[in-house]
Amino acid sequence: MPADPLHSAGKPQRSTTSQPPSGSGASAIEVRRSSRRRRTVSAYREGDRTVVLIPARMSEAEEQRWVSVMLDKLAAQESKRVLGDTELSERARRLSAQYFDGRARPASVRWVTNQNTRWGSCTPSEGSIRLSHRLQGMPEYVVDYVLLHELAHLLVPGHGPRFWRLLEAYPRTERAKGYLEGVVAADRLPHLPDARGE
């Protein structure tokens, strides 16, 4: 069987594992240094871990910079994948199991194109969750936050303290809220004509 070019950078000289920055989407980052690797840096997901392959000669500062660059690159690639309704439902089930002990059980989860003033909605009596198509292409942690927000409404109506306590379990809540607030703020900015005056 031919060697996998992604994994054939030579025997790692040193391998370190650390917790990722908030919002990276992986539970751990493993940096593998290789003396055979001269200039290239690559990264891939391995289960819930992100593996970053770097040259052995890199300094600690270069390592940190490249880990950040590669995490952003992987997140951008992953955000381009659009989940279908079936995958969205499965994702909601996994998030409910992980953060709400499986107590939030939606009957349906789907994308809709008629929600232009909110990111998601929920009808607890029917167990239905709808996410705005505008979320498609946004980082996964943002979509996960909106899903969790709507799942929490299956358990607690309204936005009282009990509701927000449920969402505190998700470590990227504040980051996702900030991202969405930024999108809304950018939409409100005046659109200037481009350099050609169009």
Side-chain angles (χ1 to χ4, degrees), residues 44-162:
Y44 59 94
R45 303 284 193 209
E46 191 175 75
D48 65 350
R49 163 188 313 266
T50 301
V51 178
V52 181
L53 307 170
I54 65 172
R57 61 170 177 71
M58 264 192 191
S59 69
E60 293 295 322
E62 287 176 308
E63 174 183 318
Q64 288 177 5
R65 183 176 73 80
W66 275 107
V67 165
S68 179
V69 166
M70 297 312 287
L71 287 174
D72 288 346
K73 194 172 183 178
L74 282 173
Q77 290 169 352
E78 290 166 350
S79 71
K80 288 178 185 169
R81 287 184 286 143
V82 176
L83 301 174
D85 289 349
T86 303
E87 294 165 306
L88 201 59
S89 292
E90 179 53 39
R91 191 176 199 97
R93 277 191 289 279
R94 283 198 314 268
L95 288 167
S96 176
Q98 184 174 357
Y99 295 102
F100 302 147
D101 297 321
R103 291 178 296 134
R105 295 187 187 106
S108 68
V109 183
R110 60 190 174 92
W111 296 108
V112 294
T113 57
N114 62 352
Q115 287 188 156
N116 294 315
T117 59
R118 51 187 167 171
W119 300 113
S121 62
C122 171
T123 307
S125 61
E126 299 172 2
S128 62
I129 291 174
R130 295 160 302 282
L131 295 192
S132 172
H133 72 287
R134 296 179 305 140
L135 289 164
Q136 293 174 338
M138 288 189 188
E140 287 184 0
Y141 73 91
V142 175
V143 176
D144 285 354
Y145 164 73
V146 176
L147 268 175
L148 280 164
H149 186 107
E150 302 309 329
L151 285 165
H153 279 309
L154 293 178
L155 303 173
V156 179
H159 292 99
R162 199 166 140 242

Side-chain angles (χ1 to χ4, degrees), residues 17-50:
T17 303
S18 63
Q19 291 305 308
S22 176
S24 67
S27 64
I29 300 161
E30 181 178 342
V31 177
R32 296 180 187 166
R33 291 176 171 262
S34 169
S35 55
R36 290 181 56 191
R37 198 173 267 272
R38 297 287 176 225
R39 283 192 271 266
T40 60
V41 176
S42 62
Y44 59 94
R45 303 284 193 209
E46 191 175 75
D48 65 350
R49 163 188 313 266
T50 301

